[in-house]
Amino acid sequence: ARQAVGELALAAGQPGVAAPVLDSAIALLPSLPPREAGWADRQQRVGDRLGLVQAAVSAHCATGDPARAIETAELGRGVLLAAEANTRADFAGLSERHPRVADRFEWVCERLSTPGFPAGERKRWWSDYDALLVEIRALPGFEEFLTAPREPGLRPEVGTAVLVNAGRKGGHAVLVRADAAPSTVALPGLRDVDARVAALLDAVADESLTGRLRRRRVVPETLTWLWDAVVEPVVQALPPSGAPHRVWWVPTGALGLLPLHAAGHPGEPGALDALVSSFVPSLRGLRDARRRPPAQGRRGLVVAMRHTPGHPDLPGAAAEAESLPGFPLRDNDAVTGEVLTALTKSTWAHFACHAITDPLSPAEGGLLLHDRILRLPEIGALRLEEAELAYLSACATANHGVRHADEVLHLASAFQLAGFRHVVATLWPLGDEIATAAAQSFYDGLPTTPVADNAATVLHRVTRELRAEHPDRPDLWAALVHSGP
């Protein structure tokens, strides 16, 4: 009811009336899905509120309150991921001052982040979690323990985070910097997003001859529109710099399916020349990834599926497995149990295989291994203390679909939830040869250290090299994206 009233007020040109009503609706979102249920059920309940976050962000931007727009987006997007992340918080400060309550809380959190327990037990543990949270917040100095983050605590340490939002009458970008208050950039050309996204997804998914020809037309058209409608106004609002700006894109709704990082007119300077880009599920996720201790050693895992039963062969997967260092699991050896065990021992992981994306239920997607699909909830349930880099050389591993877009559930976000600080993924399927060449070039550009903090810069260089080789084929290189600090 609050969503309906707020959207009606916004459509009537009364954003000041709409904003608090929509905020009150978003405040209820975390309590909407039953926490004891599985990912698929929870995403369904939250997905029924499609458009709520976009309306609320639009209202706050229209009233000149970019800080509140950021906080609203953080609370209303990635509800499931935030709930899972709250069970993996850093309890160090609590343990030092109140070890007994910290031990009890950590015990409950460990069980909540372990799949397979009956719903009745999980419901009881969530009740214990809520009771302990009340107890902890009553302790001096812990009043804001695991509360929704405020805007000042979400600012990136370096560079600029860009929240991009589309409304019915155009869109806005909110620029978030460490050294300044957030600011708003009006994007009047950001319209018809759903139609643009549908055209792009149809084009990149169609493997027929007609589809491939359409892809060569639609992808450049999409990149041109993105530059004019979004990226160029953002670049112009950034301070002058002699080098590309470091930015983190936080797009709401279906905007997360668009290659903002590669926007530009064919043959002219564009986003790849002005920006080094990453995508993040949320500013909180970026903050947490940056605070996570980097890996102390480089222990690699390479999962390569040249042959997957019932699916086309991937000859490039064998080449990737042979050229990359790490413990190899190939074809028949790459079964789910072995892969999950190997992940717990690895700090770097490379997957060259098919992936499944379910646009109606992203939680049902996953990586195709020899025996079955390794699904998102299984990956997200991992608690990897030293995970550094996951390179997902598979189909559309950063595609979260349209139906539950603001939950940002895809393979890249699942690997980040598991603990990986950096993830390289794709918005749509890449050709086997291009995927292999991109992966080899990426690893050649990285230093042989345990830490991968220059992953975004290296992937940016790889993408520019592919653009130079195939200037009229952005469908071959615009899909590669980085997520992380």
Side-chain angles (χ1 to χ4, degrees), residues 18-97:
V21 179
L22 292 168
D23 280 353
S24 64
I26 284 179
L28 296 173
L29 274 179
S31 64
L32 186 63
R35 292 177 295 177
E36 68 273 11
W39 283 32
D41 289 339
R42 291 156 69 191
Q43 75 179 3
Q44 181 66 37
R45 294 292 297 274
V46 179
D48 290 341
R49 303 273 65 82
L50 193 65
L52 173 56
V53 173
Q54 289 75 36
V57 172
S58 293
H60 286 297
C61 289
T63 57
D65 192 355
R68 189 59 188 152
I70 295 164
E71 294 169 355
T72 296
E74 287 292 304
L75 185 61
R77 298 177 67 254
V79 171
L80 192 156
L81 292 175
E84 295 288 336
N86 278 347
T87 67
R88 307 164 191 215
D90 183 3
F91 308 128
L94 183 65
S95 298
E96 291 175 4
R97 296 174 56 182

Side-chain angles (χ1 to χ4, degrees), residues 178-464:
D179 55 357
S183 59
T184 303
V185 179
L187 304 174
L190 188 55
R191 299 170 180 266
D192 303 322
V193 172
D194 290 343
R196 295 278 186 176
V197 170
L200 178 65
L201 294 181
D202 287 345
V204 298
D206 189 349
E207 291 297 333
S208 68
L209 176 60
T210 303
R212 291 196 295 270
L213 293 174
R214 182 157 52 100
R215 183 184 312 169
R216 297 182 66 166
R217 172 181 57 82
V218 170
V219 174
E221 288 177 351
T222 303
L223 296 182
T224 298
W225 169 71
L226 282 174
W227 176 256
D228 294 339
V230 181
V231 180
E232 185 179 28
V234 168
V235 171
Q236 291 177 345
L238 295 172
S241 174
H245 287 273
R246 185 74 176 93
V247 300
W248 286 265
W249 296 102
V250 191
T252 66
L255 286 168
L257 296 165
L258 295 172
L260 292 160
H261 65 293
H265 290 247
E268 298 180 14
L272 287 171
D273 305 286
L275 310 168
V276 175
S277 298
S278 296
F279 290 78
V280 289
S282 66
L283 293 181
R284 172 183 166 170
L286 173 62
R287 181 198 64 186
D288 292 348
R290 181 172 280 117
R291 291 178 177 177
R292 194 175 299 131
Q296 298 301 308
R298 184 165 173 174
R299 301 183 296 277
L301 167 67
V302 181
V303 178
M305 296 294 299
R306 175 189 174 93
H307 175 71
T308 305
H311 295 270
D313 283 351
L314 297 173
E320 291 180 44
E322 292 171 0
S323 62
L324 301 180
F327 177 69
L329 285 174
R330 307 180 189 179
D331 294 336
N332 296 4
D333 295 327
V335 294
T336 309
E338 291 292 333
V339 170
L340 288 173
T341 299
L343 277 171
T344 63
K345 304 174 184 178
S346 305
T347 59
W348 290 46
H350 183 93
F351 287 83
C353 58
H354 288 289
I356 294 294
T357 301
D358 189 334
L360 297 180
S361 180
E364 299 297 328
L367 295 167
L368 270 171
L369 302 180
H370 179 72
D371 56 337
R372 63 177 178 85
I373 301 173
L374 176 59
R375 300 191 184 278
L376 266 66
E378 296 176 278
I379 298 166
L382 297 170
R383 298 170 68 106
L384 307 177
E385 298 296 331
E386 288 192 74
E388 183 68 18
L389 170 72
Y391 192 117
L392 308 179
S393 185
C395 305
T397 47
N399 184 335
H400 50 54
V402 175
R403 181 68 180 83
H404 309 285
D406 278 317
E407 278 306 282
V408 206
L409 291 178
H410 46 52
L411 280 161
S413 63
F415 272 90
Q416 283 196 303
L417 179 62
F420 285 93
R421 298 175 69 239
H422 299 272
V423 180
V424 176
T426 59
L427 290 171
W428 60 77
L430 290 179
D432 198 36
E433 292 183 4
I434 289 290
T436 301
Q440 291 176 342
S441 181
F442 175 78
Y443 286 105
D444 288 344
L446 287 174
T448 57
T449 59
V451 181
D453 280 346
N454 59 344
T457 303
V458 174
L459 188 67
H460 174 259
R461 178 184 57 76
V462 169
T463 307
R464 289 185 53 153

